[in-house]
Amino acid sequence: MATTDRRSDPGTGDADGARRARPGASDRPGHDQPDPRPGRRSARDVARAAARAAQRRAGAAMAPAPEPLLPDTAETPPTPPTPPPVDVTEHVPRALRLAAALGWRVLVVAAALYVLGVVVAYLAPVVVPVAIALLLAALLSPAVSWLEQRRVPRGPATALVMVGGLAALGGVLTFVVRTFVSGLPQVTSQLSVSVDTVVDWLTAGPLRLSPAQLGAARDQLLATLDANQAALTAGALTTAATIGQILTEFLLVLFTLIFFLHGGEQIWRFLIRAAPAPVRRRVDVAGRRAVTALVSYVRATTVVAVVDAVAIGMALGILGVPLAFSLAALVFLGAFVPIIGAVVAGAVAVLIAFVANGVVSALIVLAVVIAVMQLESHVLQPLLLGRAVKLHPLAVVLAIATGLLVGGIAGALLAVPLLAVVNSAVRSLRSPADEHVRPEDVHTLDPADTGPADPTLEREPTIDET
């Protein structure tokens, strides 16, 4: 048998060399020959590593998720559920709920009024002159409008009214002061005679007072005067400051009155801009009706004051009572404080008549004062003021008492006009009839425009409605 040597066969050797020279021949599966190149992994190792990685990934995916850590229930008990809030409103009586709701609202309103009162009291040297100027403007504006209708310009008409008013006021004050000064000695001499008459009546009359009791009363009166002498002296020392303050306030009244008479419409249009636009027209109408009520009130009160002063002054003059004209002027001024002012002025007139002319004259003056007050209450005020400005007597008395307590004489003077203004404005805001009224249709000089044409506001409420 012949032996073939592949290394010596040139054809066989070439084929094996080519097979070994093909790249990738050693990478085939089944070849255990090591890679002749150092540092390089074989295909079998790569495949095994990939298989093991795939197995690890599959095992990780099939493994269950770790359970979350729970608190130790053995140490911390479970929190019980929160009960829903209990509504205690149902257990409160309805009357108590209404009282509480009204109570805090009343407290808020009272606090606001208190703060407003404190501010007004602090600014009284400015507020009071402006309020008096407003009253005088309501009294004199018809004269300015009358002159303007006669083709007199607004400026000259205002000047004429101001000059005429100041001249009339100065003349009246001069006459009153001169009459008072000339009649004061007669009253003083008659006062001593009347005091002696009263003392005789107290000692010899039904009271039977002893002279010792009368002397004790006189000594007590003198002691009271001596105790208050320091206060009286201090008041006399501040007279100059008081006169300066009165002069300043008088000038402020004149200055404000001029602008109210000349440009009152422009001032009102400027003030009405503060109201919100949706309700500005209603507020404008209500404000104009309030001004109309003020004009009607001042006009009617002036007429009533003139009637009272003339009637009582004539009675005092016929009876020969001294200071008749001065007392008539006092009655005129007192009529601007309804009810209380007339009572005080009438009492002073009766007292002077009693001191000067005796009991019979005083009784006659008292009868005249009562008759004049009845005429004022039942004829003049209903006829001149009408139902639009008519106020209940209890409301008038309470308003005057409150004004007197808060602001003294000025408060009593301004209380009733303020009440009339507020009453007219509230009636206008409550009335559905004023929803379609234009502001220019309300005439401030017409008493019929003081209130809306709403008959429901004029009748008294029934028991079912209350």
Side-chain angles (χ1 to χ4, degrees):
M1 176 178 302
T3 303
T4 306
D5 190 2
R6 295 182 179 181
R7 289 175 293 182
S8 60
D9 190 16
T12 305
D14 295 335
D16 293 338
R19 189 166 49 246
R20 286 194 302 269
R22 288 196 301 266
S26 61
D27 295 335
R28 295 178 183 177
H31 294 272
D32 296 331
Q33 299 177 0
D35 191 356
R37 290 171 293 183
R40 183 172 181 179
R41 300 173 62 184
S42 62
R44 180 180 292 180
D45 294 337
V46 174
R48 288 177 180 177
R52 286 194 297 269
Q55 289 178 358
R56 286 195 300 269
R57 287 195 298 269
M62 295 178 61
E67 296 182 359
L69 297 177
L70 299 177
D72 189 2
T73 57
E75 297 180 0
T76 304
T79 304
T82 303
V86 181
D87 187 8
V88 298
T89 306
E90 299 178 356
H91 303 284
V92 180
R94 183 173 180 272
L96 184 57
R97 295 199 304 268
L98 292 177
L102 292 176
W104 71 263
R105 288 175 171 85
V106 170
L107 289 178
V108 170
V109 173
L113 292 178
Y114 176 77
V115 173
L116 181 61
V118 170
V119 173
V120 171
Y122 182 76
L123 299 176
V126 177
V127 174
V128 173
V130 172
I132 295 177
L134 186 60
L135 292 178
L136 294 177
L139 177 64
L140 299 178
S141 58
V144 177
S145 300
W146 183 82
L147 291 176
E148 195 173 11
Q149 292 175 358
R150 300 308 187 270
R151 297 182 179 181
V152 179
R154 189 78 179 181
T158 303
L160 289 175
V161 171
M162 288 294 300
V163 172
L166 289 177
L169 179 62
V172 170
L173 290 179
T174 302
F175 189 76
V176 168
V177 171
R178 291 185 61 182
T179 305
F180 181 80
V181 171
S182 61
L184 187 60
Q186 181 182 357
V187 174
T188 303
S189 60
Q190 188 65 32
L191 179 61
S192 60
V193 176
S194 299
V195 169
D196 295 337
T197 304
V198 171
V199 170
D200 294 339
W201 181 81
L202 291 175
T203 54
L207 296 179
R208 297 292 180 178
L209 296 178
S210 63
Q213 293 176 340
L214 294 177
R218 183 187 61 185
D219 294 339
Q220 184 178 2
L221 178 61
L222 293 177
T224 303
L225 293 176
D226 292 337
N228 295 324
Q229 185 176 2
L232 295 175
T233 304
L237 292 177
T238 58
T239 302
T242 303
I243 293 176
Q245 182 179 358
I246 292 176
L247 181 60
T248 303
E249 294 179 358
F250 179 72
L251 294 178
L252 181 59
V253 168
L254 292 181
F255 189 75
T256 309
L257 179 59
I258 292 173
F259 282 96
F260 280 168
L261 291 176
H262 184 266
E265 183 71 21
Q266 290 77 11
I267 295 175
W268 173 249
R269 290 178 182 176
F270 173 77
L271 294 177
I272 202 63
R273 295 178 184 176
V279 296
R280 185 173 300 168
R281 186 181 58 82
R282 288 299 306 272
V283 174
D284 193 1
V285 173
R288 290 176 183 270
R289 292 198 184 280
V291 173
T292 306
L294 180 62
V295 172
S296 300
Y297 172 81
V298 174
R299 182 190 304 175
T301 304
T302 303
V303 174
V304 170
V306 170
V307 173
D308 292 351
V310 170
I312 296 178
M314 289 179 61
L316 294 175
I318 293 173
L319 294 174
V321 177
L323 304 178
F325 193 83
S326 300
L327 293 175
L330 180 62
V331 171
F332 175 80
L333 296 177
F336 285 92
V337 182
I339 301 176
I340 297 179
V343 172
V344 173
V348 173
V350 172
L351 180 62
I352 296 297
F354 172 74
V355 171
N357 295 349
V359 179
V360 178
S361 178
L363 292 177
I364 295 175
V365 174
L366 178 61
V368 172
V369 170
I370 293 176
V372 169
M373 292 180 62
Q374 294 298 318
L375 177 66
E376 171 188 345
S377 301
H378 296 88
V379 178
L380 296 179
Q381 286 187 354
L383 180 63
L384 298 175
L385 295 180
R387 298 184 62 86
V389 192
K390 183 179 179 181
L391 300 172
H392 196 277
L394 179 60
V396 173
V397 173
L398 293 178
I400 294 174
T402 304
L404 187 62
L405 180 63
V406 174
I409 298 177
L413 177 65
L414 301 175
V416 179
L418 179 62
L419 183 62
V421 167
V422 172
N423 178 48
S424 182
V426 170
R427 292 177 70 252
S428 175
L429 293 175
R430 287 181 56 230
S431 172
D434 273 358
E435 294 181 356
H436 307 289
V437 175
R438 297 181 303 173
E440 53 270 17
D441 293 337
V442 180
H443 303 286
T444 56
L445 300 181
D446 188 1
D449 288 340
T450 54
D454 191 355
T456 60
L457 298 177
E458 299 294 336
R459 62 183 180 86
E460 298 293 333
T462 60
I463 298 179
D464 297 336
E465 294 177 344
T466 57

PDB file of all heavy atoms in Angstrom, residues 285-303:
ATOM      1  N   VAL A 285     -81.494 111.100  42.401  1.00  0.00           N
ATOM      2  CA  VAL A 285     -82.911 111.413  42.620  1.00  0.00           C
ATOM      3  C   VAL A 285     -83.211 111.525  44.115  1.00  0.00           C
ATOM      4  O   VAL A 285     -83.896 112.460  44.564  1.00  0.00           O
ATOM      5  CB  VAL A 285     -83.797 110.342  41.954  1.00  0.00           C
ATOM      6  CG1 VAL A 285     -85.263 110.558  42.316  1.00  0.00           C
ATOM      7  CG2 VAL A 285     -83.633 110.389  40.434  1.00  0.00           C
ATOM      8  N   ALA A 286     -82.691 110.573  44.905  1.00  0.00           N
ATOM      9  CA  ALA A 286     -82.933 110.608  46.353  1.00  0.00           C
ATOM     10  C   ALA A 286     -82.319 111.857  46.981  1.00  0.00           C
ATOM     11  O   ALA A 286     -82.920 112.482  47.865  1.00  0.00           O
ATOM     12  CB  ALA A 286     -82.371 109.347  47.002  1.00  0.00           C
ATOM     13  N   GLY A 287     -81.127 112.243  46.541  1.00  0.00           N
ATOM     14  CA  GLY A 287     -80.506 113.445  47.075  1.00  0.00           C
ATOM     15  C   GLY A 287     -81.276 114.703  46.727  1.00  0.00           C
ATOM     16  O   GLY A 287     -81.421 115.612  47.564  1.00  0.00           O
ATOM     17  N   ARG A 288     -81.779 114.776  45.510  1.00  0.00           N
ATOM     18  CA  ARG A 288     -82.561 115.957  45.122  1.00  0.00           C
ATOM     19  C   ARG A 288     -83.873 116.030  45.902  1.00  0.00           C
ATOM     20  O   ARG A 288     -84.325 117.115  46.283  1.00  0.00           O
ATOM     21  CB  ARG A 288     -82.835 115.921  43.621  1.00  0.00           C
ATOM     22  CG  ARG A 288     -81.581 116.157  42.776  1.00  0.00           C
ATOM     23  CD  ARG A 288     -81.869 116.014  41.295  1.00  0.00           C
ATOM     24  NE  ARG A 288     -80.666 116.176  40.506  1.00  0.00           N
ATOM     25  CZ  ARG A 288     -80.211 117.331  40.028  1.00  0.00           C
ATOM     26  NH1 ARG A 288     -80.907 118.443  40.276  1.00  0.00           N
ATOM     27  NH2 ARG A 288     -79.103 117.400  39.330  1.00  0.00           N
ATOM     28  N   ARG A 289     -84.481 114.889  46.147  1.00  0.00           N
ATOM     29  CA  ARG A 289     -85.701 114.900  46.964  1.00  0.00           C
ATOM     30  C   ARG A 289     -85.378 115.300  48.405  1.00  0.00           C
ATOM     31  O   ARG A 289     -86.182 115.974  49.069  1.00  0.00           O
ATOM     32  CB  ARG A 289     -86.372 113.537  46.920  1.00  0.00           C
ATOM     33  CG  ARG A 289     -86.962 113.178  45.556  1.00  0.00           C
ATOM     34  CD  ARG A 289     -87.971 112.060  45.667  1.00  0.00           C
ATOM     35  NE  ARG A 289     -88.479 111.642  44.371  1.00  0.00           N
ATOM     36  CZ  ARG A 289     -89.421 112.261  43.677  1.00  0.00           C
ATOM     37  NH1 ARG A 289     -89.954 113.380  44.163  1.00  0.00           N
ATOM     38  NH2 ARG A 289     -89.840 111.794  42.518  1.00  0.00           N
ATOM     39  N   ALA A 290     -84.216 114.895  48.907  1.00  0.00           N
ATOM     40  CA  ALA A 290     -83.818 115.296  50.253  1.00  0.00           C
ATOM     41  C   ALA A 290     -83.600 116.808  50.329  1.00  0.00           C
ATOM     42  O   ALA A 290     -84.009 117.454  51.308  1.00  0.00           O
ATOM     43  CB  ALA A 290     -82.560 114.546  50.659  1.00  0.00           C
ATOM     44  N   VAL A 291     -82.966 117.387  49.314  1.00  0.00           N
ATOM     45  CA  VAL A 291     -82.770 118.845  49.289  1.00  0.00           C
ATOM     46  C   VAL A 291     -84.119 119.558  49.194  1.00  0.00           C
ATOM     47  O   VAL A 291     -84.344 120.589  49.837  1.00  0.00           O
ATOM     48  CB  VAL A 291     -81.849 119.230  48.122  1.00  0.00           C
ATOM     49  CG1 VAL A 291     -81.765 120.747  47.979  1.00  0.00           C
ATOM     50  CG2 VAL A 291     -80.461 118.652  48.328  1.00  0.00           C
ATOM     51  N   THR A 292     -85.031 118.994  48.415  1.00  0.00           N
ATOM     52  CA  THR A 292     -86.369 119.581  48.316  1.00  0.00           C
ATOM     53  C   THR A 292     -87.077 119.557  49.660  1.00  0.00           C
ATOM     54  O   THR A 292     -87.750 120.527  50.052  1.00  0.00           O
ATOM     55  CB  THR A 292     -87.195 118.815  47.272  1.00  0.00           C
ATOM     56  OG1 THR A 292     -86.488 118.783  46.034  1.00  0.00           O
ATOM     57  CG2 THR A 292     -88.542 119.471  47.057  1.00  0.00           C
ATOM     58  N   ALA A 293     -86.918 118.440  50.379  1.00  0.00           N
ATOM     59  CA  ALA A 293     -87.522 118.362  51.718  1.00  0.00           C
ATOM     60  C   ALA A 293     -86.904 119.394  52.655  1.00  0.00           C
ATOM     61  O   ALA A 293     -87.607 120.004  53.474  1.00  0.00           O
ATOM     62  CB  ALA A 293     -87.345 116.951  52.279  1.00  0.00           C
ATOM     63  N   LEU A 294     -85.593 119.598  52.547  1.00  0.00           N
ATOM     64  CA  LEU A 294     -84.938 120.589  53.389  1.00  0.00           C
ATOM     65  C   LEU A 294     -85.439 121.996  53.072  1.00  0.00           C
ATOM     66  O   LEU A 294     -85.719 122.790  53.991  1.00  0.00           O
ATOM     67  CB  LEU A 294     -83.424 120.509  53.200  1.00  0.00           C
ATOM     68  CG  LEU A 294     -82.590 121.488  54.027  1.00  0.00           C
ATOM     69  CD1 LEU A 294     -82.782 121.231  55.509  1.00  0.00           C
ATOM     70  CD2 LEU A 294     -81.116 121.385  53.639  1.00  0.00           C
ATOM     71  N   VAL A 295     -85.570 122.315  51.781  1.00  0.00           N
ATOM     72  CA  VAL A 295     -86.070 123.641  51.392  1.00  0.00           C
ATOM     73  C   VAL A 295     -87.500 123.838  51.897  1.00  0.00           C
ATOM     74  O   VAL A 295     -87.838 124.898  52.467  1.00  0.00           O
ATOM     75  CB  VAL A 295     -85.993 123.800  49.867  1.00  0.00           C
ATOM     76  CG1 VAL A 295     -86.688 125.088  49.430  1.00  0.00           C
ATOM     77  CG2 VAL A 295     -84.545 123.802  49.400  1.00  0.00           C
ATOM     78  N   SER A 296     -88.336 122.817  51.737  1.00  0.00           N
ATOM     79  CA  SER A 296     -89.722 122.929  52.203  1.00  0.00           C
ATOM     80  C   SER A 296     -89.791 123.056  53.712  1.00  0.00           C
ATOM     81  O   SER A 296     -90.591 123.834  54.249  1.00  0.00           O
ATOM     82  CB  SER A 296     -90.519 121.704  51.736  1.00  0.00           C
ATOM     83  OG  SER A 296     -90.512 121.608  50.327  1.00  0.00           O
ATOM     84  N   TYR A 297     -88.938 122.311  54.411  1.00  0.00           N
ATOM     85  CA  TYR A 297     -88.956 122.381  55.876  1.00  0.00           C
ATOM     86  C   TYR A 297     -88.531 123.764  56.368  1.00  0.00           C
ATOM     87  O   TYR A 297     -89.187 124.348  57.244  1.00  0.00           O
ATOM     88  CB  TYR A 297     -88.027 121.308  56.452  1.00  0.00           C
ATOM     89  CG  TYR A 297     -87.837 121.430  57.938  1.00  0.00           C
ATOM     90  CD1 TYR A 297     -88.783 120.924  58.814  1.00  0.00           C
ATOM     91  CD2 TYR A 297     -86.717 122.085  58.460  1.00  0.00           C
ATOM     92  CE1 TYR A 297     -88.628 121.059  60.188  1.00  0.00           C
ATOM     93  CE2 TYR A 297     -86.558 122.219  59.833  1.00  0.00           C
ATOM     94  CZ  TYR A 297     -87.505 121.698  60.688  1.00  0.00           C
ATOM     95  OH  TYR A 297     -87.354 121.835  62.030  1.00  0.00           O
ATOM     96  N   VAL A 298     -87.449 124.287  55.822  1.00  0.00           N
ATOM     97  CA  VAL A 298     -86.973 125.595  56.279  1.00  0.00           C
ATOM     98  C   VAL A 298     -87.986 126.681  55.933  1.00  0.00           C
ATOM     99  O   VAL A 298     -88.262 127.585  56.750  1.00  0.00           O
ATOM    100  CB  VAL A 298     -85.596 125.891  55.655  1.00  0.00           C
ATOM    101  CG1 VAL A 298     -85.149 127.303  55.988  1.00  0.00           C
ATOM    102  CG2 VAL A 298     -84.562 124.886  56.146  1.00  0.00           C
ATOM    103  N   ARG A 299     -88.564 126.595  54.753  1.00  0.00           N
ATOM    104  CA  ARG A 299     -89.558 127.594  54.355  1.00  0.00           C
ATOM    105  C   ARG A 299     -90.776 127.557  55.279  1.00  0.00           C
ATOM    106  O   ARG A 299     -91.238 128.609  55.777  1.00  0.00           O
ATOM    107  CB  ARG A 299     -89.985 127.334  52.907  1.00  0.00           C
ATOM    108  CG  ARG A 299     -90.970 128.344  52.370  1.00  0.00           C
ATOM    109  CD  ARG A 299     -91.517 127.879  51.031  1.00  0.00           C
ATOM    110  NE  ARG A 299     -90.442 127.628  50.073  1.00  0.00           N
ATOM    111  CZ  ARG A 299     -90.651 127.122  48.861  1.00  0.00           C
ATOM    112  NH1 ARG A 299     -91.888 126.792  48.479  1.00  0.00           N
ATOM    113  NH2 ARG A 299     -89.640 126.932  48.038  1.00  0.00           N
ATOM    114  N   ALA A 300     -91.298 126.349  55.529  1.00  0.00           N
ATOM    115  CA  ALA A 300     -92.482 126.231  56.387  1.00  0.00           C
ATOM    116  C   ALA A 300     -92.163 126.634  57.824  1.00  0.00           C
ATOM    117  O   ALA A 300     -92.967 127.306  58.486  1.00  0.00           O
ATOM    118  CB  ALA A 300     -93.004 124.793  56.342  1.00  0.00           C
ATOM    119  N   THR A 301     -90.983 126.243  58.314  1.00  0.00           N
ATOM    120  CA  THR A 301     -90.618 126.599  59.693  1.00  0.00           C
ATOM    121  C   THR A 301     -90.457 128.102  59.844  1.00  0.00           C
ATOM    122  O   THR A 301     -90.820 128.682  60.882  1.00  0.00           O
ATOM    123  CB  THR A 301     -89.319 125.882  60.081  1.00  0.00           C
ATOM    124  OG1 THR A 301     -89.478 124.478  59.903  1.00  0.00           O
ATOM    125  CG2 THR A 301     -88.974 126.138  61.531  1.00  0.00           C
ATOM    126  N   THR A 302     -89.940 128.757  58.828  1.00  0.00           N
ATOM    127  CA  THR A 302     -89.810 130.216  58.885  1.00  0.00           C
ATOM    128  C   THR A 302     -91.176 130.888  58.945  1.00  0.00           C
ATOM    129  O   THR A 302     -91.383 131.826  59.732  1.00  0.00           O
ATOM    130  CB  THR A 302     -89.024 130.714  57.665  1.00  0.00           C
ATOM    131  OG1 THR A 302     -87.745 130.056  57.620  1.00  0.00           O
ATOM    132  CG2 THR A 302     -88.820 132.209  57.726  1.00  0.00           C
ATOM    133  N   VAL A 303     -92.112 130.406  58.136  1.00  0.00           N
ATOM    134  CA  VAL A 303     -93.464 130.983  58.167  1.00  0.00           C
ATOM    135  C   VAL A 303     -94.113 130.763  59.525  1.00  0.00           C
ATOM    136  O   VAL A 303     -94.736 131.668  60.108  1.00  0.00           O
ATOM    137  CB  VAL A 303     -94.317 130.375  57.037  1.00  0.00           C
ATOM    138  CG1 VAL A 303     -95.762 130.856  57.144  1.00  0.00           C
ATOM    139  CG2 VAL A 303     -93.746 130.744  55.681  1.00  0.00           C
TER     140      VAL A 303
END
